[in-house]
Amino acid sequence: FLELRDETTRAMADKVREAAQRIFANLPSGGGAPMGALGLGAVGLTGLAYGSANCLFNVEGGHRAVMYHRFGGVQQRVRGEGTHLVLPWFQRPVLYDVRAKPRMIQSLTGSKDLQMVNISLRVLSRPDPGFLPTIYRELGTDYDERVLPSIVNEVLKSVVAQYNASQLITQREAVSQRIRTDLLSRAREFHLELDDVSITHLSFGKEYTAAVEAKQVAQQEAERAKFVVDKAKQEKKSTVIKAQGEAKSAKLIGDAVRDNPGYIQLRRLEAARDVAGTLSKSTNKVYLDTQSLLLNVTDSRDVLLESHTKKK
């Protein structure tokens, strides 16, 4: 933009020079003072029109201007937003965008345990408006291209080398904060302000990724085997407890039968009641004897059992 403006200024100056030469060439040689005055007036009007069209420049919102003087060099005063005066040919404004600009930077570096790590860093940067003359004098207008890639790679390599691959994942917040602190310190040396620094992507080499996956699979299989063992132990305890309960139940039933023979009759009555309840709810017709269905509660064998018990 500035080179184009300088070329435009030269072109207009050449046009003014050509117009003045044509005016003087067309003046009659014997015209006298009135014709000479007319020619000088035309030249003056042309120069005034050229100067009024090129002595003003605008600074848009979010921008600043640094003035370069052909005889004094870069001036320390920074022009803010608005319209400003400029001396054509002698002065040239250099515009800077002071708004924060995002930039993605990728870096391949090694961790403390010699694992290759690919990190993508997003940086919001802007120049310090008070140091724009210094930035223009030392770095030019493409300051971010010259500074950010080098300092970001330097900081990333120095910080990542202090952590293991596993720590980069589990302590990502601490790693990001460390990178931000070191990067802010380095950027201030070049009069740059960083509004935000964040890790957007972090990946490892194929070998390390495969090793991590294999480790996770082995841990899952170990946990599964442990679960199977615990399940078998619980089933064994359940079987023992169940067997102990059945043995105790059998012992109690045997004691009940020995001490009170009527216990068997009571159980027969309960079984007959269950069978009768089930048959009463059925819609089918069943023809069976009471002996097979345990419904003959007055069996003669019961009478013999009772008499045998009395004899004892």
Side-chain angles (χ1 to χ4, degrees), residues 15-308:
K15 290 181 180 179
V16 171
R17 191 180 302 109
E18 293 175 0
Q21 291 175 357
R22 286 197 300 268
I23 291 174
F24 282 110
N26 293 330
L27 289 177
S29 59
M35 297 303 294
L38 181 60
L40 293 176
V43 173
L45 289 175
T46 304
L48 180 61
Y50 167 75
S52 61
N54 292 274
C55 66
L56 298 177
F57 73 96
N58 293 326
V59 179
E60 302 295 335
H63 292 71
R64 298 291 186 273
V66 176
M67 192 64 68
Y68 172 76
H69 200 283
R70 291 185 181 273
F71 301 108
V74 180
Q75 299 179 356
Q76 289 300 119
R77 179 190 170 194
V78 178
R79 273 70 173 180
E81 301 171 359
T83 303
H84 303 273
L85 293 173
V86 61
L87 294 177
W89 191 83
F90 292 99
Q91 292 179 327
R92 176 166 55 90
V94 181
L95 298 179
Y96 275 90
D97 188 354
V98 296
R99 295 171 294 187
K101 293 184 295 184
R103 185 181 180 88
M104 293 290 298
I105 301 177
Q106 294 184 351
S107 178
L108 182 63
T109 181
S111 62
K112 187 177 180 180
D113 53 353
L114 304 180
Q115 296 295 333
M116 299 307 298
V117 184
N118 188 11
I119 299 181
S120 297
L121 200 68
R122 182 178 182 270
V123 180
L124 280 177
S125 63
R126 57 184 175 84
D128 190 345
F131 291 91
L132 286 179
T134 304
I135 294 175
Y136 177 66
R137 188 180 297 111
E138 297 179 356
L139 300 174
T141 55
D142 57 344
Y143 59 91
D144 52 345
E145 292 287 344
R146 299 187 179 188
V147 174
L148 287 180
S150 60
I151 64 174
V152 167
N153 279 280
E154 175 190 355
V155 170
L156 284 177
K157 291 181 183 299
S158 63
V159 173
V160 172
Q162 302 177 17
Y163 294 89
N164 294 329
S166 59
Q167 292 176 337
L168 293 175
I169 300 175
T170 58
Q171 302 179 19
R172 181 166 180 169
E173 185 66 26
V175 174
S176 178
Q177 186 63 33
R178 179 69 180 276
I179 293 174
R180 176 184 175 85
T181 302
D182 293 354
L183 199 56
L184 284 173
S185 177
R186 290 286 289 134
R188 290 194 184 98
E189 298 177 6
F190 300 93
H191 311 295
L192 300 181
E193 298 292 337
L194 302 183
D195 294 336
D196 182 64
V197 177
S198 58
I199 299 175
T200 58
H201 179 71
L202 191 149
S203 61
F204 300 92
K206 295 182 179 179
E207 294 79 5
Y208 181 78
T209 304
V212 171
E213 292 178 355
K215 181 179 179 181
Q216 293 294 328
V217 171
Q219 290 179 350
Q220 292 177 359
E221 291 179 352
E223 292 294 331
R224 182 178 181 181
K226 182 179 178 181
F227 171 76
V228 171
V229 172
D230 292 340
K231 183 179 179 181
K233 290 181 179 179
Q234 294 297 327
E235 290 179 351
K236 180 179 178 181
K237 291 181 180 180
S238 176
T239 304
V240 171
I241 294 173
K242 182 178 180 181
Q244 292 176 352
E246 291 178 352
K248 187 175 181 180
S249 176
K251 184 177 182 301
L252 292 176
I253 293 174
D255 294 341
V257 172
R258 183 191 59 195
D259 298 337
N260 187 8
Y263 176 77
I264 297 178
Q265 186 67 17
L266 177 62
R267 296 301 299 269
R268 291 189 62 186
L269 290 173
E270 292 177 353
R273 183 184 60 186
D274 295 338
V275 172
T278 303
L279 293 177
S280 63
K281 297 177 182 179
S282 177
T283 58
N284 300 324
K285 294 182 179 180
V286 180
Y287 296 95
L288 295 173
D289 59 345
T290 58
Q291 186 64 32
S292 60
L293 294 178
L294 300 179
L295 296 179
N296 188 11
V297 297
T298 60
D299 192 0
S300 59
R301 286 175 294 181
D302 296 336
V303 177
L304 294 175
L305 179 62
E306 290 180 359
S307 62
H308 177 71

